[in-house]
Amino acid sequence: SDHWAPWFPDGRGTQAWVTLSASGQQTSLPIGTGVTPVVHHYHPAVIAQAFMSMEELYPGRVFLGVGSGEALNEVPLGLDWPEPTEMLQRFEQGLEAITRLWDGETVTMDAGWFRLDGAKLYTRAQARPRMYVSAFGPQAAAIAARYGDGLWTLGDPEAAPEIIEAYRDECGRTGKDVGQIILQSGIAWAEDDEDVVEGARRWKPTQLPEVYSDDIPDPADMQRRADEQLSDREFADEGFIVSADTDEHVRRVGEIEDLGATAVCLQLIGQADPAGTIQRY
């Protein structure tokens, strides 16, 4: 997670790129973010440089997950949170800059919220990193098709089909191959169902649509809103996969795969028995 602040008041806000680089040294696995915000607090050229540098260090293993972010990431750093139309415009401009720099161009552009004046990357790996673009609606899905190597969205049976269709349609319109379709869910397991829910409930704010679009930057405020609007049982049964029943996990992951996923991203959100969850999976 590439966040300035966490989703809940007692969480952490570690700088993701530092952690990724250290992880790359200790593993042979793919490494990347899910996702890096591209609307304000990172200049797009700095993102391009950082991930191209990581690709130089760890060839063939690096991916950049990008999204339009949340107020959580941007408002504490001085941004007046933009309306959705402006947010998507900024997002697309940022992806254009990253793509052109990765392609070796010398780039001059003025997007209003950032500028480039004869900028180029002087360190370029043999291949560019992969870019997976987060989308929660059809407009963002079309941006994913134009700039990304794949689409990244939540494995929500109600919302995902429209987003995937918009992504595929834009790929067809622009003549691009359909890339990875990455569908994500949080997971939590323990022997006792009450323990599972209690250990994962702090992730409830992620189920509120307004935290992705509105000016809501405070984790404590997000938690309060979630507790007012969503019961723990609704969160467990209708949101992420939060259950002591392993058959429930198998069924729900299968449903996500059946939506058309080429990759299923499972984020361990449980505190009750995280090691046990890994062992069960």
Side-chain angles (χ1 to χ4, degrees):
S1 298
D2 196 350
H3 293 289
W4 174 260
W7 283 96
F8 30 82
D10 59 343
R12 300 199 179 191
T14 306
Q15 214 290 334
W17 306 354
V18 176
T19 307
L20 275 178
S21 191
S23 299
Q25 181 67 27
Q26 295 296 324
T27 73
S28 58
L29 297 169
I31 55 173
T33 50
V35 297
T36 295
V38 187
V39 294
H40 173 64
H41 87 257
Y42 290 136
H43 192 295
V46 176
I47 298 174
Q49 182 189 45
F51 281 81
M52 183 62 80
S53 296
M54 259 193 283
E55 177 66 27
E56 175 79 352
L57 287 171
Y58 309 119
R61 295 169 51 195
V62 175
F63 64 88
L64 168 62
V66 287
S68 56
E70 305 89 23
L72 180 76
N73 290 312
E74 310 290 0
V75 171
L77 300 177
L79 174 69
D80 292 329
W81 187 241
E83 293 298 316
T85 300
E86 181 185 351
M87 183 169 60
L88 284 174
Q89 182 182 38
R90 287 180 176 222
F91 184 42
E92 185 157 14
Q93 290 166 333
L95 298 191
E96 177 190 344
I98 293 169
T99 300
R100 292 174 64 187
L101 288 166
W102 279 358
D103 286 344
E105 289 188 40
T106 299
V107 182
T108 295
M109 62 183 291
D110 186 352
W113 67 281
F114 76 90
R115 291 179 57 209
L116 292 170
D117 187 3
K120 63 178 288 187
L121 292 182
Y122 288 87
T123 292
R124 291 180 60 227
Q126 289 189 351
R128 47 176 279 173
R130 288 154 291 163
M131 182 193 291
Y132 301 131
V133 182
S134 173
F136 290 99
Q139 289 178 287
I143 294 173
R146 291 194 289 273
Y147 291 96
D149 300 302
L151 169 74
W152 192 321
T153 192
L154 294 177
D156 179 349
E158 293 185 7
E162 181 185 19
I163 295 168
I164 294 170
E165 182 180 8
Y167 169 72
R168 291 182 183 275
D169 286 349
E170 185 67 10
C171 284
R173 191 188 70 80
T174 58
K176 285 188 64 175
D177 292 336
V178 174
Q180 288 269 33
I181 297 176
I182 304 166
L183 301 185
Q184 177 177 338
S185 178
I187 59 169
W189 176 90
E191 293 282 358
D192 180 81
D193 202 58
E194 290 186 8
D195 290 344
V196 180
V197 175
E198 180 59 32
R201 66 178 304 279
R202 65 180 187 168
W203 286 90
K204 282 166 62 174
T206 63
Q207 302 300 303
L208 303 182
E210 61 264 33
V211 302
Y212 300 98
S213 59
D214 297 350
D215 188 356
I216 307 173
D218 178 21
D221 183 32
M222 290 164 54
Q223 193 77 60
R224 178 187 59 78
R225 290 169 184 260
D227 287 336
E228 289 175 352
Q229 296 181 43
L230 192 68
S231 72
D232 291 353
R233 181 47 56 188
E234 287 172 323
F235 165 69
D237 292 345
E238 301 172 18
F240 292 149
I241 308 172
V242 179
S243 175
D245 181 357
T246 51
D247 289 340
E248 172 76 0
H249 284 258
V250 172
R251 181 183 67 81
R252 296 275 299 281
V253 172
E255 288 177 351
I256 292 172
E257 186 178 12
D258 290 343
L259 291 170
T262 61
V264 176
C265 173
L266 300 174
Q267 179 184 9
L268 203 162
I269 63 171
Q271 291 182 290
D273 188 359
T277 304
I278 292 171
Q279 289 167 356
R280 287 291 169 130
Y281 266 78

